[in-house]
Amino acid sequence: KGTLRSVVSALRRIVAAARNGVDDVFRELDATLRGLCEEIEAVTVWKAEPAGGHRCVFASGIRYERYRGCVLDGLEARKTLHPSDRTGVCIALGDQTVLYLALARPVELKPLFDCCEIVEPALAVAYDRAEDRIRATYDGLTGLLTPRAFRTALAQLIRAIERTRGVPRLALLFIDTDRFKEWNDRLGHAAGDALLRKLAEMLRAQVCGPDDLVARNGGDEFCLVWADCEKSTAIERAEALRSTIAAAFADEAIAITASIGVAAFPVDGSGAEDLLEAADARMYGAKRAGRNRISWE
């Protein structure tokens, strides 16, 4: 009865871990399985890759930790995993995930299978939650940050900059696609989506450091943040970006360009919302002045 109670308690912890993330589920599963069977040498979890094979997404056991992140063409333990283990067993955790247990000797497998059967729905919940977080963070069309995730990241970045020594500096570009509606209406929504993806790639290419941010603000508007950049440098980079976009679409039936507003922290605003409002207003000023230009004051 004591063993049963401990297993039930462990499984409750696994279900609770699903609220925190996939890795927490794997860690609780690892602890539970080892509690059930002391002959387990290693626990590894492999997730099917879209291009084929399986990627190791969890590994415990000193001889197996090196597999984390590796992709193998199948799970043939006798060829790919550690040769010193006496036996191994694969257990499916849903359609896309496989658990591989390395064992010091053959053991009774039913308790392990029963445990994994109960874990499977918890893992499905964890995967769903992870996908929800990805959808909330990244725009489905361009892969850039969503407006909400961008504003959160920008506010956190400004707070981090304020805590560092030296002169705080950061630059924000608010970018609007000129003539996007005309492009979309004449060429169709598929062409419009392709245009937005191309612009997103062009903006990604502008990233200079690990703290820089690129976001789709909605529709055909984008934001770009350089985390360590003087305003004068940001203006030069913005002009170069404007020129690059204009040249990329100069030979198209509709010449796509960009109107860009530039704002810098702390000279143009003391927080994320102040900077966004300043850069947005300047972007609209650039459009009113004739489009295909930048504005910074």
Side-chain angles (χ1 to χ4, degrees):
K1 291 183 179 178
T3 300
L4 178 59
R5 282 196 297 269
S6 65
V7 171
V8 170
S9 176
L11 293 176
R12 285 175 178 167
R13 290 197 300 272
I14 290 173
V15 172
R19 294 193 291 268
N20 299 324
V22 174
D23 285 345
D24 281 26
V25 172
F26 292 150
R27 281 192 288 268
E28 289 292 346
L29 175 59
D30 178 51
T32 300
L33 291 172
R34 290 178 184 278
L36 287 172
C37 178
E38 63 181 15
E39 303 297 334
I40 293 176
E41 297 284 349
V43 176
T44 59
V45 182
W46 304 77
K47 196 168 188 299
E49 289 281 282
H54 288 73
R55 180 179 298 277
C56 182
V57 294
F58 177 84
S60 72
I62 191 168
R63 298 196 306 274
Y64 284 77
E65 290 174 353
R66 65 190 179 92
Y67 286 107
R68 184 184 285 266
C70 293
V71 177
L72 300 180
D73 295 328
L75 291 174
E76 299 181 45
R78 65 184 183 276
K79 294 181 180 178
T80 57
L81 301 181
H82 202 278
S84 67
D85 294 302
R86 297 293 302 277
T87 188
V89 60
C90 288
I91 305 173
L93 298 176
D95 295 335
Q96 302 295 317
T97 308
V98 176
L99 173 74
Y100 176 81
L101 300 177
L103 303 169
R105 63 180 178 82
V107 299
E108 171 59 44
L109 295 176
K110 187 177 185 304
L112 305 181
F113 279 100
D114 290 345
C115 177
C116 291
E117 185 176 349
I118 298 172
V119 166
E120 187 175 327
L123 184 59
V125 169
Y127 278 139
D128 286 343
R129 286 177 176 267
E131 290 176 1
D132 288 343
R133 284 191 288 270
I134 291 173
R135 285 192 291 269
T137 303
Y138 298 101
D139 174 62
L141 177 64
T142 63
L144 303 181
L145 290 171
T146 61
R148 182 175 180 179
F150 170 67
R151 281 158 174 77
T152 299
L154 177 58
Q156 292 173 343
L157 183 57
I158 289 175
R159 287 196 294 270
I161 290 174
E162 289 175 325
R163 290 194 295 267
T164 62
R165 295 182 179 181
V167 179
R169 56 185 187 179
L170 174 148
L172 165 67
L173 271 58
F174 206 115
I175 304 150
D176 183 80
T177 311
D178 299 327
R179 300 183 182 85
F180 176 75
K181 186 178 185 304
E182 183 181 350
W183 175 288
N184 214 36
D185 290 345
R186 186 187 300 183
L187 303 178
H189 292 294
D193 289 348
L195 170 61
L196 294 176
R197 284 193 290 267
K198 183 172 181 178
L199 288 171
E201 288 302 317
M202 295 175 73
L203 292 177
R204 282 195 192 92
Q206 300 296 313
V207 168
C208 298
D211 294 326
D212 294 352
L213 305 172
V214 188
R216 183 185 180 193
N217 192 58
D220 59 336
E221 293 180 345
F222 300 90
C223 290
L224 171 63
V225 168
W226 288 304
D228 185 14
C229 184
E230 298 282 1
K231 186 173 181 178
S232 57
T233 302
I235 292 170
E236 293 175 357
R237 291 179 181 177
E239 174 57 28
L241 173 61
R242 182 209 61 77
S243 178
T244 297
I245 292 173
F249 297 97
D251 295 330
E252 299 287 348
I254 300 169
I256 294 295
T257 56
S259 297
I260 303 174
V262 182
F265 172 81
V267 296
D268 294 317
S270 59
E273 291 304 319
D274 292 342
L275 282 180
L276 283 163
E277 288 179 8
D280 187 28
R282 291 165 184 175
M283 179 272 292
Y284 277 108
K287 291 188 81 70
R288 288 193 297 270
R291 297 183 294 197
N292 189 27
R293 62 191 66 209
I294 66 172
S295 175
W296 61 89
E297 59 183 8

